[in-house]
Amino acid sequence: MRRHEFQPGRLIAGLVLLAVGVLYLLDATGRADLPWYAVVPMAAGGLTLAMLVGMTTYAVRRDRRDRISESSER
């Protein structure tokens, strides 16, 4: 199996959505009483955080790639 790049933004998005799903499952089974306005902002905030982390990761990798290609051209 080929190795792939680690993408922390996707990891954060997956963990946040997993947590939201577990909270909704707990609410559906009656083990927790969560209002919708507590869970929806958590999901939106988590996805926003994942987007920021993904964009930062992309910018760092692009900058590193550009510096490597510039040094190999010399």
Coordinates of all heavy atoms in Angstrom, one line a residue:
M1 N 0.8 -1.2 0.0 CA 0.0 0.0 0.0 C 0.9 1.2 0.0 O 1.8 1.3 0.8 CB -0.9 0.0 1.3 CG -1.9 1.1 1.3 SD -3.1 0.8 2.5 CE -2.8 2.1 3.6
R2 N 0.6 2.2 -0.9 CA 1.4 3.4 -0.9 C 1.1 4.3 0.3 O -0.1 4.3 0.8 CB 1.0 4.2 -2.2 CG 1.6 3.6 -3.4 CD 1.3 4.4 -4.7 NE 0.9 5.7 -4.3 CZ 0.7 6.7 -5.2 NH1 0.9 6.4 -6.5 NH2 0.4 7.9 -4.9
R3 N 2.1 5.0 0.7 CA 1.9 6.0 1.7 C 1.3 7.2 1.2 O 1.5 7.6 0.0 CB 3.2 6.3 2.4 CG 3.8 5.0 3.1 CD 5.0 5.4 3.9 NE 4.5 6.4 4.9 CZ 5.1 6.5 6.1 NH1 6.1 5.8 6.4 NH2 4.7 7.4 6.9
H4 N 0.6 7.9 2.0 CA 0.0 9.2 1.6 C 0.3 10.3 2.5 O 0.8 10.1 3.6 CB -1.6 9.0 1.5 CG -2.2 8.7 2.8 ND1 -2.2 7.4 3.3 CD2 -2.7 9.5 3.8 CE1 -2.8 7.4 4.5 NE2 -3.1 8.6 4.8
E5 N 0.1 11.5 2.1 CA 0.4 12.7 2.9 C -0.5 12.7 4.1 O -1.7 12.4 4.0 CB 0.2 14.0 2.1 CG 1.2 14.3 1.1 CD 1.0 15.6 0.5 OE1 -0.2 16.0 0.4 OE2 1.9 16.3 0.1
F6 N 0.0 13.1 5.2 CA -0.8 13.4 6.4 C -1.5 14.7 6.2 O -0.9 15.7 5.9 CB 0.1 13.4 7.7 CG -0.7 13.8 8.9 CD1 -1.7 12.9 9.4 CD2 -0.4 14.9 9.6 CE1 -2.4 13.3 10.5 CE2 -1.1 15.3 10.7 CZ -2.1 14.4 11.2
Q7 N -2.8 14.7 6.4 CA -3.6 15.9 6.2 C -4.3 16.2 7.5 O -5.4 15.6 7.7 CB -4.6 15.8 5.0 CG -3.8 15.6 3.7 CD -4.7 15.4 2.6 OE1 -5.9 15.2 2.7 NE2 -4.2 15.5 1.4
P8 N -3.8 17.1 8.3 CA -4.4 17.3 9.6 C -5.8 18.0 9.5 O -6.6 17.8 10.4 CB -3.4 18.2 10.3 CG -2.5 18.8 9.3 CD -2.5 17.8 8.1
G9 N -6.0 18.8 8.5 CA -7.4 19.4 8.4 C -8.4 18.3 8.2 O -9.5 18.4 8.8
R10 N -8.2 17.3 7.4 CA -9.2 16.2 7.3 C -9.3 15.4 8.6 O -10.4 15.0 8.9 CB -8.8 15.3 6.2 CG -8.9 15.9 4.8 CD -8.7 15.0 3.7 NE -8.8 15.6 2.4 CZ -8.8 15.0 1.3 NH1 -8.6 13.7 1.2 NH2 -9.0 15.6 0.1
L11 N -8.2 15.3 9.3 CA -8.3 14.6 10.6 C -9.2 15.3 11.6 O -10.1 14.7 12.2 CB -6.9 14.4 11.2 CG -6.9 13.8 12.6 CD1 -7.3 12.4 12.6 CD2 -5.4 13.9 13.1
I12 N -9.0 16.6 11.7 CA -9.8 17.5 12.5 C -11.3 17.4 12.1 O -12.2 17.2 13.0 CB -9.3 18.9 12.6 CG1 -8.0 18.9 13.3 CG2 -10.3 19.8 13.3 CD1 -7.3 20.2 13.2
A13 N -11.6 17.5 10.8 CA -12.9 17.5 10.3 C -13.6 16.1 10.7 O -14.7 16.1 11.1 CB -13.0 17.7 8.8
G14 N -12.9 15.1 10.5 CA -13.4 13.8 10.8 C -13.7 13.6 12.3 O -14.7 13.0 12.7
L15 N -12.8 14.0 13.1 CA -13.0 13.9 14.6 C -14.2 14.7 15.0 O -14.9 14.3 15.9 CB -11.7 14.3 15.3 CG -10.5 13.3 15.2 CD1 -9.3 13.9 15.9 CD2 -10.9 11.9 15.7
V16 N -14.3 15.9 14.5 CA -15.4 16.8 14.9 C -16.7 16.2 14.5 O -17.7 16.2 15.3 CB -15.2 18.2 14.3 CG1 -16.5 19.0 14.5 CG2 -14.1 18.9 15.0
L17 N -16.8 15.8 13.3 CA -18.1 15.2 12.8 C -18.4 13.9 13.5 O -19.6 13.6 13.8 CB -18.0 15.0 11.3 CG -18.0 16.3 10.5 CD1 -17.9 16.0 9.0 CD2 -19.2 17.1 10.8
L18 N -17.4 13.1 13.9 CA -17.6 11.9 14.7 C -18.1 12.3 16.0 O -19.1 11.6 16.5 CB -16.3 11.1 14.8 CG -16.4 9.8 15.6 CD1 -17.2 8.8 14.8 CD2 -15.0 9.3 15.8
A19 N -17.6 13.3 16.7 CA -18.1 13.7 18.0 C -19.5 14.2 17.9 O -20.3 13.9 18.8 CB -17.2 14.8 18.5
V20 N -19.8 15.0 16.8 CA -21.2 15.5 16.7 C -22.2 14.3 16.5 O -23.3 14.2 17.0 CB -21.3 16.5 15.5 CG1 -22.7 16.7 15.1 CG2 -20.6 17.8 15.8
G21 N -21.7 13.3 15.7 CA -22.6 12.1 15.5 C -22.8 11.4 16.8 O -23.9 10.9 17.0
V22 N -21.8 11.2 17.6 CA -21.9 10.6 18.9 C -22.9 11.3 19.8 O -23.7 10.8 20.5 CB -20.5 10.3 19.6 CG1 -20.7 9.9 21.0 CG2 -19.7 9.3 18.8
L23 N -22.7 12.7 19.8 CA -23.7 13.5 20.6 C -25.1 13.3 20.2 O -26.0 13.2 21.0 CB -23.2 14.9 20.6 CG -21.9 15.3 21.3 CD1 -21.6 16.7 21.1 CD2 -22.1 15.0 22.8
Y24 N -25.3 13.3 18.8 CA -26.7 13.1 18.3 C -27.2 11.7 18.7 O -28.4 11.5 19.0 CB -26.8 13.4 16.8 CG -27.1 14.8 16.5 CD1 -26.2 15.5 15.7 CD2 -28.2 15.4 17.0 CE1 -26.5 16.8 15.3 CE2 -28.5 16.7 16.7 CZ -27.7 17.4 15.8 OH -27.9 18.7 15.5
L25 N -26.3 10.7 18.6 CA -26.7 9.4 19.0 C -27.1 9.3 20.5 O -28.1 8.7 20.8 CB -25.6 8.4 18.7 CG -25.8 6.9 19.0 CD1 -26.9 6.4 18.1 CD2 -24.6 6.1 18.8
L26 N -26.3 9.9 21.3 CA -26.6 10.0 22.8 C -28.0 10.7 23.0 O -28.7 10.3 23.9 CB -25.5 10.7 23.5 CG -24.2 9.9 23.7 CD1 -23.2 10.7 24.4 CD2 -24.4 8.6 24.4
D27 N -28.2 11.8 22.2 CA -29.5 12.5 22.4 C -30.6 11.6 21.9 O -31.7 11.6 22.5 CB -29.4 13.8 21.6 CG -30.6 14.7 21.9 OD1 -31.0 14.7 23.0 OD2 -31.0 15.4 20.9
A28 N -30.4 10.9 20.8 CA -31.5 10.1 20.3 C -31.9 8.9 21.2 O -33.0 8.5 21.3 CB -31.1 9.5 18.9
T29 N -30.9 8.4 21.9 CA -31.2 7.3 22.8 C -31.7 7.7 24.2 O -32.0 6.9 25.0 CB -29.9 6.4 23.0 OG1 -28.8 7.2 23.6 CG2 -29.4 5.8 21.7
G30 N -31.6 9.0 24.4 CA -32.1 9.6 25.7 C -31.1 9.6 26.8 O -31.4 9.9 27.9
R31 N -29.9 9.3 26.5 CA -28.8 9.4 27.5 C -28.3 10.8 27.8 O -27.6 11.0 28.7 CB -27.7 8.5 27.1 CG -28.1 7.0 27.1 CD -26.9 6.1 26.8 NE -27.4 4.8 26.6 CZ -26.8 3.7 27.1 NH1 -25.7 3.9 27.7 NH2 -27.3 2.5 26.9
A32 N -28.6 11.7 26.9 CA -28.2 13.1 27.0 C -29.3 13.9 26.4 O -30.0 13.5 25.5 CB -26.9 13.3 26.3
D33 N -29.4 15.1 27.0 CA -30.4 16.0 26.5 C -29.7 17.3 25.9 O -29.4 18.2 26.7 CB -31.4 16.4 27.6 CG -32.5 17.3 27.0 OD1 -32.9 17.1 25.8 OD2 -33.1 18.1 27.8
L34 N -29.4 17.3 24.7 CA -28.6 18.4 24.1 C -29.5 19.2 23.2 O -30.1 18.7 22.3 CB -27.4 17.8 23.2 CG -26.5 16.9 24.0 CD1 -25.5 16.2 23.0 CD2 -25.6 17.8 24.9
P35 N -29.5 20.5 23.4 CA -30.2 21.4 22.4 C -29.5 21.5 21.1 O -28.2 21.4 21.1 CB -30.3 22.7 23.2 CG -29.1 22.7 24.1 CD -28.9 21.2 24.5
W36 N -30.2 21.7 20.0 CA -29.6 21.8 18.7 C -28.6 22.9 18.6 O -27.6 22.9 17.9 CB -30.6 21.9 17.6 CG -31.4 23.2 17.7 CD1 -32.5 23.5 18.3 CD2 -31.0 24.4 17.0 NE1 -32.9 24.8 18.1 CE2 -32.0 25.4 17.4 CE3 -29.9 24.8 16.2 CZ2 -31.9 26.7 16.9 CZ3 -29.8 26.1 15.8 CH2 -30.8 27.0 16.1
Y37 N -28.9 24.0 19.4 CA -28.0 25.2 19.3 C -26.7 25.0 20.0 O -25.9 25.9 20.0 CB -28.7 26.5 19.8 CG -29.3 26.4 21.1 CD1 -28.6 26.6 22.3 CD2 -30.7 26.0 21.3 CE1 -29.1 26.5 23.5 CE2 -31.2 25.9 22.6 CZ -30.4 26.2 23.7 OH -31.0 26.1 24.9
A38 N -26.5 23.9 20.6 CA -25.2 23.6 21.2 C -24.4 22.7 20.3 O -23.1 22.9 20.3 CB -25.4 22.9 22.6
V39 N -25.0 21.9 19.5 CA -24.3 21.0 18.6 C -23.9 21.6 17.3 O -22.8 21.4 16.8 CB -25.1 19.7 18.5 CG1 -24.3 18.7 17.6 CG2 -25.3 19.0 19.8
V40 N -24.9 22.3 16.7 CA -24.6 22.9 15.4 C -23.5 23.9 15.4 O -22.6 23.8 14.5 CB -26.0 23.6 14.9 CG1 -25.7 24.3 13.6 CG2 -27.0 22.5 14.6
P41 N -23.4 24.8 16.4 CA -22.2 25.7 16.4 C -20.9 24.9 16.6 O -19.8 25.3 16.1 CB -22.4 26.6 17.5 CG -23.9 26.6 17.7 CD -24.3 25.3 17.3
M42 N -20.9 23.8 17.3 CA -19.7 23.0 17.5 C -19.3 22.4 16.2 O -18.1 22.4 15.8 CB -20.0 21.9 18.5 CG -18.7 21.1 18.9 SD -19.0 19.8 20.1 CE -19.5 18.5 19.0
A43 N -20.2 21.9 15.4 CA -19.9 21.3 14.1 C -19.4 22.4 13.2 O -18.4 22.2 12.5 CB -21.1 20.7 13.5
A44 N -20.0 23.6 13.1 CA -19.6 24.7 12.3 C -18.2 25.2 12.7 O -17.3 25.4 11.8 CB -20.6 25.8 12.3
G45 N -18.0 25.3 14.0 CA -16.7 25.8 14.5 C -15.6 24.8 14.2 O -14.5 25.1 13.8
G46 N -15.9 23.5 14.3 CA -14.9 22.5 14.0 C -14.5 22.4 12.6 O -13.4 22.2 12.2
L47 N -15.6 22.6 11.7 CA -15.3 22.6 10.3 C -14.5 23.8 9.9 O -13.6 23.8 9.0 CB -16.6 22.4 9.5 CG -17.3 21.1 9.6 CD1 -18.6 21.1 8.8 CD2 -16.4 20.0 9.1
T48 N -14.8 24.9 10.5 CA -14.0 26.1 10.3 C -12.6 26.0 10.7 O -11.6 26.3 10.0 CB -14.6 27.3 11.0 OG1 -16.0 27.5 10.5 CG2 -13.9 28.6 10.7
L49 N -12.3 25.4 11.9 CA -11.0 25.1 12.3 C -10.3 24.1 11.4 O -9.1 24.3 11.0 CB -11.0 24.5 13.7 CG -9.7 24.1 14.3 CD1 -8.8 25.3 14.5 CD2 -9.9 23.3 15.6
A50 N -11.0 23.1 10.9 CA -10.4 22.2 9.9 C -10.0 22.9 8.6 O -8.9 22.6 8.1 CB -11.4 21.0 9.6
M51 N -10.8 23.8 8.2 CA -10.5 24.6 7.0 C -9.3 25.4 7.2 O -8.4 25.5 6.3 CB -11.7 25.5 6.6 CG -11.4 26.4 5.4 SD -12.5 27.8 5.2 CE -12.2 28.7 6.7
L52 N -9.2 26.1 8.3 CA -8.0 26.9 8.6 C -6.7 26.1 8.7 O -5.7 26.5 8.2 CB -8.2 27.7 9.9 CG -9.3 28.8 9.8 CD1 -9.5 29.4 11.2 CD2 -8.9 29.9 8.8
V53 N -6.8 24.9 9.3 CA -5.6 24.1 9.4 C -5.3 23.5 8.1 O -4.1 23.5 7.7 CB -5.9 22.9 10.4 CG1 -4.9 21.8 10.3 CG2 -6.0 23.5 11.8
G54 N -6.2 23.2 7.3 CA -6.0 22.7 5.9 C -5.3 23.7 5.0 O -4.4 23.4 4.3
M55 N -5.8 25.0 5.1 CA -5.2 26.0 4.3 C -3.8 26.3 4.8 O -2.9 26.6 4.0 CB -6.1 27.3 4.4 CG -7.4 27.2 3.7 SD -8.5 28.5 3.9 CE -7.5 30.0 3.6
T56 N -3.6 26.3 6.1 CA -2.2 26.5 6.6 C -1.3 25.4 6.2 O -0.1 25.7 5.8 CB -2.3 26.6 8.1 OG1 -3.2 27.7 8.5 CG2 -0.9 26.9 8.7
T57 N -1.7 24.2 6.3 CA -0.9 23.1 5.8 C -0.5 23.2 4.4 O 0.6 23.0 4.0 CB -1.6 21.8 6.1 OG1 -2.0 21.7 7.5 CG2 -0.8 20.6 5.7
Y58 N -1.5 23.5 3.5 CA -1.3 23.7 2.1 C -0.3 24.8 1.8 O 0.7 24.6 1.0 CB -2.6 24.0 1.4 CG -2.4 24.3 -0.1 CD1 -2.2 23.3 -1.0 CD2 -2.5 25.6 -0.6 CE1 -2.0 23.5 -2.3 CE2 -2.3 25.8 -1.9 CZ -2.1 24.8 -2.8 OH -1.9 25.1 -4.1
A59 N -0.4 25.9 2.5 CA 0.5 27.1 2.3 C 2.0 26.7 2.7 O 2.9 27.0 2.0 CB 0.1 28.3 3.1
V60 N 2.1 26.0 3.8 CA 3.4 25.6 4.3 C 4.1 24.6 3.3 O 5.2 24.7 3.0 CB 3.4 25.0 5.7 CG1 4.6 24.3 6.1 CG2 3.0 26.1 6.7
R61 N 3.3 23.6 2.9 CA 3.8 22.6 1.9 C 4.2 23.3 0.6 O 5.2 22.9 0.0 CB 2.8 21.5 1.8 CG 2.8 20.6 3.0 CD 1.9 19.4 2.8 NE 1.9 18.6 4.0 CZ 1.1 17.7 4.3 NH1 0.1 17.5 3.5 NH2 1.2 17.0 5.4
R62 N 3.3 24.2 0.1 CA 3.6 24.9 -1.2 C 4.9 25.7 -1.0 O 5.7 25.7 -2.0 CB 2.4 25.8 -1.6 CG 2.6 26.4 -2.9 CD 1.5 27.3 -3.3 NE 1.5 28.4 -2.3 CZ 0.5 29.2 -2.1 NH1 -0.6 29.1 -2.7 NH2 0.6 30.2 -1.2
D63 N 5.0 26.4 0.1 CA 6.2 27.2 0.3 C 7.5 26.4 0.3 O 8.5 26.7 -0.3 CB 6.1 28.1 1.5 CG 7.3 29.0 1.8 OD1 7.6 29.7 0.8 OD2 7.9 28.9 2.9
R64 N 7.4 25.2 1.0 CA 8.5 24.3 1.1 C 8.9 23.7 -0.2 O 10.0 23.6 -0.6 CB 8.2 23.2 2.1 CG 9.4 22.3 2.4 CD 9.0 21.3 3.5 NE 8.7 22.0 4.7 CZ 8.0 21.5 5.7 NH1 7.5 20.3 5.6 NH2 7.8 22.2 6.8
R65 N 7.8 23.4 -1.0 CA 8.0 22.8 -2.4 C 8.7 23.9 -3.3 O 9.6 23.5 -4.1 CB 6.7 22.4 -2.9 CG 6.7 21.4 -4.0 CD 5.3 21.0 -4.4 NE 4.4 21.3 -3.3 CZ 3.1 21.5 -3.5 NH1 2.6 21.3 -4.7 NH2 2.3 21.8 -2.5
D66 N 8.2 25.1 -3.2 CA 8.8 26.2 -4.0 C 10.3 26.4 -3.7 O 11.1 26.6 -4.5 CB 8.0 27.5 -3.9 CG 6.7 27.4 -4.5 OD1 6.4 26.4 -5.3 OD2 5.8 28.3 -4.2
R67 N 10.6 26.4 -2.4 CA 12.0 26.6 -2.0 C 12.9 25.5 -2.4 O 14.0 25.7 -2.8 CB 12.1 26.8 -0.5 CG 11.8 28.2 0.0 CD 12.1 28.4 1.4 NE 11.0 28.0 2.2 CZ 11.1 27.4 3.4 NH1 12.3 27.2 3.9 NH2 10.0 27.1 4.1
I68 N 12.4 24.2 -2.4 CA 13.2 23.1 -2.8 C 13.4 23.2 -4.3 O 14.5 22.9 -4.8 CB 12.5 21.8 -2.5 CG1 12.6 21.6 -0.9 CG2 13.1 20.6 -3.2 CD1 11.7 20.4 -0.4
S69 N 12.4 23.6 -5.1 CA 12.5 23.6 -6.5 C 13.5 24.8 -6.9 O 14.2 24.7 -7.9 CB 11.2 23.8 -7.3 OG 10.6 25.0 -6.9
E70 N 13.4 25.9 -6.2 CA 14.4 27.0 -6.5 C 15.8 26.6 -6.2 O 16.7 27.0 -7.0 CB 14.0 28.2 -5.6 CG 12.8 29.0 -6.1 CD 12.4 30.1 -5.2 OE1 13.2 30.3 -4.2 OE2 11.4 30.8 -5.5
S71 N 16.0 25.9 -5.1 CA 17.4 25.5 -4.8 C 17.9 24.4 -5.8 O 19.1 24.4 -6.0 CB 17.5 24.9 -3.4 OG 16.8 23.7 -3.3
S72 N 17.1 23.6 -6.4 CA 17.5 22.6 -7.3 C 17.8 23.2 -8.7 O 18.5 22.6 -9.5 CB 16.5 21.5 -7.5 OG 15.3 22.0 -8.0
E73 N 17.2 24.4 -9.0 CA 17.5 25.0 -10.3 C 18.8 25.7 -10.4 O 19.3 25.9 -11.4 CB 16.4 26.0 -10.6 CG 15.0 25.4 -10.9 CD 13.9 26.5 -11.0 OE1 14.2 27.7 -10.9 OE2 12.8 26.1 -11.3
R74 N 19.4 26.0 -9.2 CA 20.7 26.7 -9.2 C 21.8 25.9 -9.6 O 22.1 24.8 -9.7 CB 20.9 27.3 -7.8 CG 19.9 28.4 -7.5 CD 20.2 29.0 -6.2 NE 19.1 29.9 -5.9 CZ 19.0 30.5 -4.8 NH1 19.9 30.4 -3.8 NH2 18.1 31.4 -4.5

